[in-house]
Amino acid sequence: MNQTMKKYPAEQVAVYVRVSTEDQANKQEGSLKSQRQRCSEWLKGKGYSASDDTVRVYSEEGESGKDMDRPQFRRLMLDVRRGKVKLIVFAELSRISRSLPDFLQMSTEWADRDVQFASIRESFIDSTSPHGRLMIA
């Protein structure tokens, strides 16, 4: 794998956001809007033109992260398997998964398909950089 972050066309970039409760949705820090904004800022910092019009946004409200049986997550994984997504960004690990075995399964599949991913909050969960890859290897 290349030692630097690969640059993909914006249509191959995915932002995944999720809240499981109305209370989370109403809190500024954890709202879907706040999660999208943080992901967009991260992407802009990496040189992407990151708006909801230029990247794929998978947004779920009222879905638990306890397993991978979520409509937008299934759609994301289908797009990964079809080769439509090559970079996935999420605000924090708990938004994409609350299960370590599920996260290991999905991150292994992403690696097998040469899909990079990054968590904004847990900067060590970042396959776009050499240090991040070392931490998750």
Side-chain angles (χ1 to χ4, degrees), residues 101-123:
D102 286 349
F103 180 71
L104 293 173
Q105 178 184 342
M106 72 181 74
S107 64
T108 299
E109 181 173 350
W110 294 341
D112 291 347
R113 295 177 183 280
D114 199 26
V115 173
Q116 294 184 329
F117 57 92
S119 168
I120 306 303
R121 176 170 282 169
E122 298 90 3
S123 59

Side-chain angles (χ1 to χ4, degrees), residues 13-63:
V13 176
V15 169
Y16 181 86
V17 296
R18 180 189 65 78
V19 294
S20 55
T21 66
E22 188 173 323
D23 186 47
Q24 285 178 329
N26 291 328
K27 288 184 179 175
Q28 177 61 26
E29 174 68 20
S31 70
L32 295 172
K33 181 179 177 181
S34 172
Q35 290 178 53
R36 280 194 313 270
Q37 181 178 353
R38 287 185 284 153
C39 291
S40 291
E41 288 170 4
W42 185 90
L43 285 163
K44 287 176 184 174
K46 299 291 185 179
Y48 284 92
S49 170
S51 71
D52 289 356
D53 296 331
T54 58
V55 300
R56 295 172 180 270
V57 177
Y58 302 82
S59 180
E60 302 203 90
E61 188 170 350
E63 294 292 334

Side-chain angles (χ1 to χ4, degrees), residues 61-130:
E61 188 170 350
E63 294 292 334
S64 172
K66 68 179 170 42
D67 60 37
M68 295 188 289
D69 187 26
R70 293 169 265 149
Q72 290 297 304
F73 182 79
R74 286 193 310 267
R75 191 177 130 239
L76 168 65
M77 291 304 292
L78 182 61
D79 286 348
V80 164
R81 291 172 184 135
R82 290 178 174 167
K84 294 180 178 183
V85 170
K86 289 297 182 180
L87 172 61
I88 304 167
V89 180
F90 40 93
E92 59 189 81
L93 180 59
S94 67
R95 299 304 84 206
I96 197 83
S97 179
R98 289 197 163 280
S99 162
L100 181 58
D102 286 349
F103 180 71
L104 293 173
Q105 178 184 342
M106 72 181 74
S107 64
T108 299
E109 181 173 350
W110 294 341
D112 291 347
R113 295 177 183 280
D114 199 26
V115 173
Q116 294 184 329
F117 57 92
S119 168
I120 306 303
R121 176 170 282 169
E122 298 90 3
S123 59
F124 60 89
I125 300 175
D126 182 352
S127 71
T128 69
S129 72

